């Protein structure tokens, strides 16, 4: 789910993407759809939605890569545009018009006006190439959740790596800043850690 600069709520799932305006009728909120982007079963499901703060919503899905939706037309970024693969787990805005993109097993990609750059094993604390979640905190620190580890890349370039599990099946999930320079980390299937 995401909210854009007009207060429109965006919902994503296996059905596609729906944008809706919240209306109050008889004191009860209701949703009035203003845009629908259906996905076919061949597209897979929506993994992540991100409002860019300029009227567009970035949609990451299982098979296409990234779609930039401004209600109409929809711009798609995929392998032909420099993404290493079409399955995108997480997309994150950098506050300067660029995007960080985490793919299933092809590392981390950065998209800016200057072009597309792919980061692989050994760069930015990447120990495996399965990017599961991304967070940019208020200090400009990039947190990269991978299978079994989280990399913390400070704005000055200092890289720290924390291993949270020895189990190959443990994946990082959603991350939120804790207000004290750390994060709350959702783990699949192990729960929550700080």
């Amino acid at each position: 789910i995401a909210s854009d600069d007009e207060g429109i709520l965006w919902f994503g799932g296996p059905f596609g993407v729906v944008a809706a305006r919240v209306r109050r009728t008889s004191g009860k909120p209701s949703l009035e759809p203003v845009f629908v982007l259906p996905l076919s079963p061949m597209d897979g499901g929506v993994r992540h939605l991100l409002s860019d703060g300029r009227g567009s919503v970035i949609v990451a899905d299982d098979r296409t890569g990234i779609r930039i939706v401004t209600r109409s037309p929809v711009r798609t970024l995929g392998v032909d545009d420099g993404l290493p693969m079409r399955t995108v787990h997480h997309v994150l805005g950098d506050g300067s018009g660029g995007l960080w993109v985490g793919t299933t097993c092809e590392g981390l990609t950065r998209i800016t006006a200057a072009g597309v750059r792919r980061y692989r094993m050994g760069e930015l604390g990447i120990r495996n190439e399965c990017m599961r979640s991304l967070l940019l905190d208020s200090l400009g620190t990039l947190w990269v959740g991978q299978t079994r580890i989280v990399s913390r890349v400070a704005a000055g370039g200092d890289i720290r790596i924390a291993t949270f599990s020895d189990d190959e099946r443990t994946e990082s999930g959603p991350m939120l800043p804790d207000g004290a320079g750390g994060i709350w980390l959702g783990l699949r299937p192990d729960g929550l850690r700080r």
Side-chain angles (χ1 to χ4, degrees), residues 4 6 8 10 17 19 34-38 54-57 59 67-76:
D4 67 17
E6 295 177 25
I8 303 292
W10 293 75
V17 178
V34 294
F35 176 81
V36 177
L37 175 65
R54 296 185 311 254
S56 295
V57 171
V59 179
R67 297 171 198 232
I68 300 172
V69 180
T70 52
R71 298 203 196 128
S72 182
V74 175
R75 180 176 171 215
T76 301

Side-chain angles (χ1 to χ4, degrees), residues 77-160:
L77 298 174
V79 175
D80 292 343
D81 302 293
L83 286 182
M85 69 181 316
R86 297 182 310 200
T87 303
V88 173
H89 272 275
H90 204 101
V91 61
L92 175 70
D94 67 1
S96 301
L99 297 174
W100 289 99
V101 181
T103 60
T104 296
C105 288
E106 291 292 335
L108 184 65
T109 301
R110 180 144 166 78
I111 302 171
T112 65
V116 177
R117 178 152 192 293
R118 185 173 170 197
Y119 295 90
R120 310 267 337 226
M121 297 245 303
E123 297 179 287
L124 297 181
I126 297 172
R127 293 266 179 95
N128 66 64
E129 295 189 334
C130 294
M131 304 296 114
R132 299 300 184 201
S133 54
L134 302 169
L135 172 72
L136 190 62
D137 69 19
S138 62
L139 301 174
T141 301
L142 176 67
W143 298 81
V144 182
Q146 303 162 55
T147 302
R148 299 182 9 205
I149 67 168
V150 172
S151 302
R152 178 184 163 269
V153 183
D158 180 40
I159 298 172
R160 307 240 172 143

Side-chain angles (χ1 to χ4, degrees), residues 1 3 20 26 31 33 37-38 42 44 49 76 109 124 127 136 169 173 175 184 189 193:
I1 193 168
S3 176
S26 307
L31 296 176
L37 175 65
M42 295 301 292
L49 295 171
T76 301
T109 301
L124 297 181
R127 293 266 179 95
L136 190 62
R169 297 170 297 160
M175 295 185 278
W184 286 98
R193 290 220 185 131

